């Protein structure tokens, strides 16, 4: 047979959908003098127009979202169950009720406008406030007139389906980031500014006459009063962390900071009480203020992405049950052995069950990594985590959700340990020596003044000022601002580290292990070739129309492949689809079959790679050819792997698939021994563990739940996702699939960050050495301390910001 691939049409006369902005690939729906790509977009437009909200389309950058085609009436009825609804709401007074839901499809200013005008779509909605960074909306409504299911349905109808999972039923959700630190920064900043202002007379020795002494005492008392909340509330985290470390018999970076703050505060109190000096309360408050800013900045940069999830995060809140002749919705936490579940197309199977329907087509790629759906027949056991492809099926629950196969992935020891404790950060490693050196210098200074010079007051003053000047505050600022800037740079380039420790571990990686399906392959694309006689345009229309009726993944790929071919609006007669075999339909007087070789009636053996997926096409009983479908790899993969290997980084492949493309991938990874197929989740985890036992520092790059154990076990687990908000297994960083080619640049930038921390710390040492010359002599004046602290901090902040931006520009080239 000859090879033929359909060519695109010579001219592109397709129109753009007025609502979603996508090109109308099929027949255009004309409504109200506007083109629409589907009934869903037209319905949303009609709803907005009915409520006089078409201003939405005039907003700069407005681009609507096509509603989810999988929506069905009654999908959210479970939200009206008392045991579910009570856990969903955040406030109610019996009438006015508030909920806060996560809407992952929110993406632009027009989304915000539409979601904050929901009250115009339903008067029972009193208000809706959008938290765009976290993609959440808080809706207040009249619960006497509107149900939770109605709100979920309304949001889905306009394209913003809420993300609801089992976690919503646990009532254990926490905030993305800690607002308390923001309050502490405000209080410390207020105290710092006012203490400096009240200390100006002391800085310049103003008001030395007797009449001003009372004013000096008043200002000193006010400074002490302002510093108390800084000590008790704002600096509490440093003291708490230091105490925890001391109880564990080790010295962390907060221990010398807490000691320095305490000494500076106590010597200041002593000077104020004895009227021997103004103290150093301004430097005390300034140090706390700048350190809190650094840590807040670092925390805030990754606050919008959720990383640590367990199996409950991936499951829906409720499932459909068959009770007699009727269908009911029930929370999956209440599923019991013997219940009969109804699982629809593309729905995740939440519990192990026995198939009651004649046949099912299950996609286990989410759990096993195997990309090809498998056919199961009545009586077979279907494991949790699979997805049904095709018509709805019935399952009898075999085990409860908490006892399903899927939960076993979280029972491994890899999920019980914290990576952040495994290897000390660069700041912690420097602190081991720096803190001891500072304490040593301060102690020697104290002993010389106390025992040799017999000047007890100067001894305590020199000890406190030495700790103040050489305090590890600079080290904290160096690491937090550098890592904070890097977190921001990474995020702007669509690489989302979990925290600063993830960046530091990334800098030391020497081995990268890739998953295959969905990681280095494109999730919604494939290399498709038609083998057979050259098809006419009307025959391509027939094929496109027929495959568009199926939810089978191979049918969807062929439909995408024929994107330039329109779908006919002709009503198909005699259409039927047999799961695992194919489709049959009458096209006028012609009978069309698309599916397996057996289904289409071919008896000829097909030469070539037997591992490729094939879809045969038969028209009027004659097989006109077949499509071969091969996973399509990300185009930048060869360059990415080559750059990693050039940098001396080992590369491996782990896949749950069969060894389909071993010959294709071998040249990329260098050796056949670096390719490992038919790997189950435990195999992947063990492979990572073996590499680590050899002394390797491993980066695992995966995408599925089947990779969760390996991602957790590795030194850095990197989850690849085309939608960071919808999928983030237990990992250390998330990267958008389109940015995977920049992985070598990200790793170089992480290493550069370590150098910037060392350089910024060296800069702060220059200030420290200058200040120490005055501190050890006991002559460090308050004005000098007040100048050194902010100047040193501002210099470090400016240097780290500039250096990280320069490094990002140089090392990450888009």
């Amino acid at each position: 047979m000859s090879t033929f691939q359909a060519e695109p049409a010579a001219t592109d006369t397709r129109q753009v959908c007025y609502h979603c902005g996508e090109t109308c690939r099929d027949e255009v729906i004309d409504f109200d003098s506007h083109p629409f790509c589907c009934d869903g977009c037209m319905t949303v437009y009609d709803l907005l127009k009915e409520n006089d909200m078409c201003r939405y389309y005039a907003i700069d950058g407005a681009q609507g979202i096509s509603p989810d085609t999988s929506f069905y009436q009654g999908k959210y009825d479970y939200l009206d169950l008392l045991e579910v609804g009570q856990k969903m709401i955040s406030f109610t007074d019996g009438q006015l009720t508030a909920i806060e839901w996560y809407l992952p499809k929110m993406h632009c200013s027009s989304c915000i406008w539409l979601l904050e005008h929901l009250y115009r779509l339903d008067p029972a909605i009193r208000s809706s406030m959008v938290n765009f960074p976290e993609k959440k909306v808080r809706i207040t409504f009249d619960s006497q007139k509107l149900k939770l299911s109605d709100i979920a349905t309304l949001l889905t109808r306009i394209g913003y389906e809420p993300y609801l999972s089992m976690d919503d039923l646990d009532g254990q959700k926490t905030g993305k980031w800690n607002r308390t630190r923001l309050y502490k920064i405000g209080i410390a900043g207020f105290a710092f500014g006012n203490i400096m202002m009240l200390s100006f007379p002391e800085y310049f020795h103003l008001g030395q006459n007797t009449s001003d002494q009372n004013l000096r005492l008043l200002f000193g008392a006010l400074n002490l009063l302002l510093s108390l909340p800084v000590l008790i509330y704002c600096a509490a985290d440093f003291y708490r962390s230091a105490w925890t470390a001391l109880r564990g018999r080790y010295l962390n970076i907060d221990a010398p900071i807490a000691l320095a703050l305490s000494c500076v505060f106590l010597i200041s109190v002593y000077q104020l009480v004895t009227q021997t000096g103004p103290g150093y309360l301004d430097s005390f408050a300034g140090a706390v203020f700048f350190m809190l800013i650094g840590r807040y900045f670092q925390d805030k940069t990754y606050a919008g992405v959720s990383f640590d999830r367990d199996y409950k995060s991936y499951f829906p809140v409720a499932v459909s049950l068959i009770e007699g002749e009727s269908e009911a919705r029930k929370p999956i936490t209440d599923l019991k052995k013997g219940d009969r579940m109804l699982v629809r197309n593309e729905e995740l199977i939440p519990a192990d069950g026995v198939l009651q329907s004649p046949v099912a087509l299950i996609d286990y790629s989410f759990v096993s990594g195997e990309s090809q759906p498998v056919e199961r027949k009545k009586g077979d056991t279907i494991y949790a985590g699979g997805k049904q492809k095709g018509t709805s099926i019935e399952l009898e629950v075999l085990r409860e959700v908490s006892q399903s196969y899927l939960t076993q992935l979280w029972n491994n020891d890899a999920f019980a340990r914290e990576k952040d404790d495994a290897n000390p950060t660069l700041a912690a490693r420097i602190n081991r020596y720096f803190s001891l050196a500072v304490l040593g210098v301060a102690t020697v200074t104290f002993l010389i003044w106390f025992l040799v010079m017999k000047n007890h007051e100067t001894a305590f003053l020199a000890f406190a000022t030495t700790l103040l000047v050489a305090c590890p505050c600079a080290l904290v600022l160096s690491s937090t601002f550098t890592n904070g800037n890097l977190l921001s740079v990474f995020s702007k380039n669509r690489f989302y580290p979990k925290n600063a420790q993830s960046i530091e571990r990334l800098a030391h990686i020497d081995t990268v292990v890739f998953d295959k399906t969905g990681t280095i392959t494109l999730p919604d694309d494939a290399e498709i070739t038609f083998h057979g006689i050259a098809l006419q345009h009307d025959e391509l229309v027939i094929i496109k129309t027929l495959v568009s009726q199926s939810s089978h993944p191979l049918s969807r790929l062929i439909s995408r492949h024929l994107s330039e071919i329109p779908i006919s609006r002709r009503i198909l007669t005699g259409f039927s689809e047999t799961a695992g075999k194919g489709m049959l339909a009458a096209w006028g007087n012609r009978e069309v079959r698309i599916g397996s070789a057996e289904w289409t009636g071919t008896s000829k053996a097909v030469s070539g790679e037997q591992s490729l997926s094939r879809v045969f096409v038969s028209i009027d009983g004659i097989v006109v050819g077949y499509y071969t479908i091969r996973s399509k790899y990300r185009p930048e993969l060869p360059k990415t792997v080559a750059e990693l290997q050039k940098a001396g980084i080992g590369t491996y492949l782990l896949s749950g698939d069969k060894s389909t493309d071993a010959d294709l991938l071998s040249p990329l990874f260098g050796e056949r021994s670096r390719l490992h197929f038919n790997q189950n989740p435990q195999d992947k985890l063990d492979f990572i563990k073996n590499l680590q036992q050899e002394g390797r520092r491993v980066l695992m790059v995966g995408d599925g739940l089947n990779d969760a154990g390996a991602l957790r076990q590795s030194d850095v687990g990197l989850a690849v996702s085309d939608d960071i908000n919808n999928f983030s297994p237990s990992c250390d960083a998330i990267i958008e699939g389109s940015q995977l080619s920049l992985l070598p640049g990200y790793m170089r930038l992480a290493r550069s960050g370590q150098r910037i921390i060392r350089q910024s710390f060296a800069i702060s040492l220059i200030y420290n050495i200058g200040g120490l010359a005055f501190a050890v002599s006991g002559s460090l004046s308050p004005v000098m301390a007040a100048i050194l602290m902010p100047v040193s901090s501002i210099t470090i902040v400016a240097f780290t910001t500039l250096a990280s931006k320069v490094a990002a520009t140089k090392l990450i080239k888009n």
Side-chain angles (χ1 to χ4, degrees), residues 181-249:
R181 183 164 288 169
L182 190 62
Y183 307 145
K184 292 181 178 181
I185 291 173
I187 293 173
F190 174 81
F192 175 46
N194 281 278
I195 291 175
M196 286 195 71
M197 181 182 67
L198 294 173
S199 300
F200 266 107
E202 295 289 352
Y203 293 159
F204 303 105
H205 307 288
L206 303 177
Q208 297 299 316
N209 56 60
T210 305
S211 62
D212 290 332
Q213 290 303 314
N214 292 334
L215 191 59
R216 178 178 287 105
L217 290 174
L218 176 62
F219 283 0
L222 289 175
N223 285 344
L224 181 59
L225 188 64
L226 286 168
S227 65
L228 286 175
V230 178
L231 174 71
I232 298 171
Y233 179 64
C234 302
D237 291 342
F238 301 107
Y239 286 98
R240 193 178 296 114
S241 174
W243 175 245
T244 301
L246 292 175
R247 288 180 61 186
R249 297 184 179 181

Side-chain angles (χ1 to χ4, degrees), residues 97-113:
T97 301
I99 56 170
E100 188 174 44
W101 280 346
Y102 174 50
L103 309 181
K105 292 186 178 180
M106 187 192 312
H107 69 284
C108 66
S109 58
S110 58
C111 299
I112 298 174
W113 184 88

Side-chain angles (χ1 to χ4, degrees), residues 444-483:
V444 170
T445 301
F446 174 81
L447 292 174
I448 291 175
W449 280 105
F450 193 88
L451 299 177
V452 179
M453 308 299 292
K454 304 297 184 180
N455 189 331
H456 299 171
E457 182 176 336
T458 304
F460 285 102
L461 177 63
F463 181 78
T465 54
T466 298
L467 288 177
L468 173 63
V469 171
C471 172
C473 307
L475 183 56
V476 173
L477 289 174
S478 298
S479 59
T480 55
F481 272 94
T482 300
N483 287 325

Side-chain angles (χ1 to χ4, degrees), residues 509-512 641-651 674 696 747 751:
I509 292 299
D510 57 24
T511 304
V512 178
V641 175
E643 284 193 33
L644 290 172
Q645 293 172 346
K646 185 178 179 181
I649 296 173
T651 55
R674 293 181 176 270
R696 306 284 190 88
M747 297 174 69
R751 295 191 186 100

Side-chain angles (χ1 to χ4, degrees), residues 727-758:
F727 186 67
S728 50
S730 186
C731 59
D732 302 291
I734 302 173
I735 185 174
E736 290 191 14
S738 60
Q739 301 299 102
L740 187 60
S741 62
L742 297 179
L743 180 59
Y746 294 130
M747 297 174 69
R748 290 193 296 268
L749 182 58
R751 295 191 186 100
S752 178
Q754 301 293 282
R755 291 193 296 271
I756 293 172
I757 290 175
R758 294 187 182 96

Side-chain angles (χ1 to χ4, degrees), residues 309-328:
R309 296 183 179 181
D310 61 16
Y311 68 95
K312 294 180 292 185
S313 301
Y314 304 101
F315 281 176
V317 175
V319 67
S320 297
L321 294 183
I322 303 298
E323 298 178 350
E325 299 296 325
S326 61
E327 175 186 340

